[in-house]
Amino acid sequence: MNRLAGYFRVIIPIAYLIGVLGISIKIDNPQYFKVTSIFVPVSFLILMLFHKPHSLRFWITLASIGLLGFLVEAIGTNTGLIFGQYMYGSSLGFGVFGTPLNMAINWMMLVYLVTFVLQKWSVNPILKSGISAIILTLFDWVLEPVAIRLDMWRWDLQTPPLHNYIGWFLFSFIVFSIFYRFATKLHNPLANTFTVMHGLFFIVLNLIFRLI
């Protein structure tokens, strides 16, 4: 398993690099962006393949985060109450109630990765949840221009309102509070790799889209 993890530490950065290059070259071909709908679940499955320890409590907690994430996105896109007025594009794949199922996976993966990075930080759980929520909100700020350009979603006002970031922070705080309360300590040799590459992927594309 350690050898396999070593292989994936090489494969994962290559996959993200190919994604950046492919998107940059095919920026005028929206059909290319639909590969996102496959990349998201495959990345999550690889990450979970190396997760330890396995326990019913962990999987129920993680699944609950995914379900809550999907529900809040579904309510948000259908009412505009949580994040503002927006709708999803085709890049994230199949959805229900106008909401891609991949959004559940996105929330599970993001919460998992931030939790992994901060889990050794011994502070008050409320403070830890607040810092984690700030990190995810900052990530969303970097993500938004890229997501819009890749037809993941679009806003009625063209750009995300302040309402969106307030919603992201508040909901992130809730799910992190749940995860820190119920999830066991995470062990995963690929978590740091995914965290770095996921962040760099959107930062680099954000910068590229400002230039082209």
Side-chain angles (χ1 to χ4, degrees):
M1 204 67 168
N2 288 336
R3 179 176 293 182
L4 185 60
Y7 291 147
F8 274 112
R9 287 195 190 99
V10 176
I11 294 171
I12 292 166
I14 292 174
Y16 275 97
L17 177 60
I18 291 173
V20 169
L21 294 175
I23 289 170
S24 301
I25 295 171
K26 297 287 188 177
I27 190 60
D28 294 321
N29 184 2
Q31 292 298 318
Y32 180 82
F33 306 152
K34 291 184 178 180
V35 72
T36 305
S37 65
I38 300 172
F39 189 80
V40 169
V42 169
S43 297
F44 182 70
L45 286 173
I46 293 172
L47 180 66
M48 290 298 101
L49 176 65
F50 289 88
H51 166 78
K52 293 181 180 179
H54 295 284
S55 69
L56 183 60
R57 178 173 174 171
F58 166 79
W59 291 113
I60 290 176
T61 303
L62 187 64
S64 298
I65 299 301
L67 178 60
L68 287 172
F70 176 81
L71 289 176
V72 79
E73 296 285 355
I75 294 171
T77 193
N78 283 285
T79 67
L81 295 176
I82 301 175
F83 304 111
Q85 297 290 343
Y86 69 103
M87 64 181 296
Y88 286 99
S90 61
S91 295
L92 289 173
F94 176 77
V96 180
F97 305 120
T99 307
L101 297 181
N102 271 327
M103 290 308 298
I105 297 176
N106 277 331
W107 276 105
M108 287 189 288
M109 189 163 184
L110 290 174
V111 170
Y112 182 96
L113 292 177
V114 173
T115 299
F116 182 88
V117 171
L118 297 183
Q119 66 180 342
K120 294 182 180 179
W121 190 28
S122 299
V123 296
N124 182 288
I126 295 177
L127 175 60
K128 198 171 187 178
S129 297
I131 297 298
S132 300
I134 289 173
I135 290 173
L136 267 199
T137 304
L138 290 173
F139 173 76
D140 183 53
W141 179 71
V142 173
L143 163 69
E144 285 292 344
V146 178
I148 294 168
R149 194 75 179 267
L150 299 186
D151 194 33
M152 293 181 182
W153 55 77
R154 65 185 72 92
W155 295 91
D156 286 4
L157 299 176
Q158 304 302 318
T159 57
L162 178 61
H163 185 174
N164 170 63
Y165 300 110
I166 295 174
W168 257 76
F169 174 81
L170 293 176
F171 180 68
S172 296
F173 181 83
I174 292 171
V175 293
F176 276 116
S177 297
I178 294 171
F179 205 66
Y180 285 130
R181 172 65 179 82
F182 294 105
T184 54
K185 189 173 183 180
L186 311 178
H187 297 276
N188 196 315
L190 298 184
N192 284 329
T193 303
F194 269 113
T195 301
V196 172
M197 296 312 304
H198 209 62
L200 285 176
F201 177 80
F202 287 103
I203 290 172
V204 171
L205 283 178
N206 193 311
L207 294 174
I208 289 174
F209 290 164
R210 292 174 186 272
L211 299 174
I212 62 176

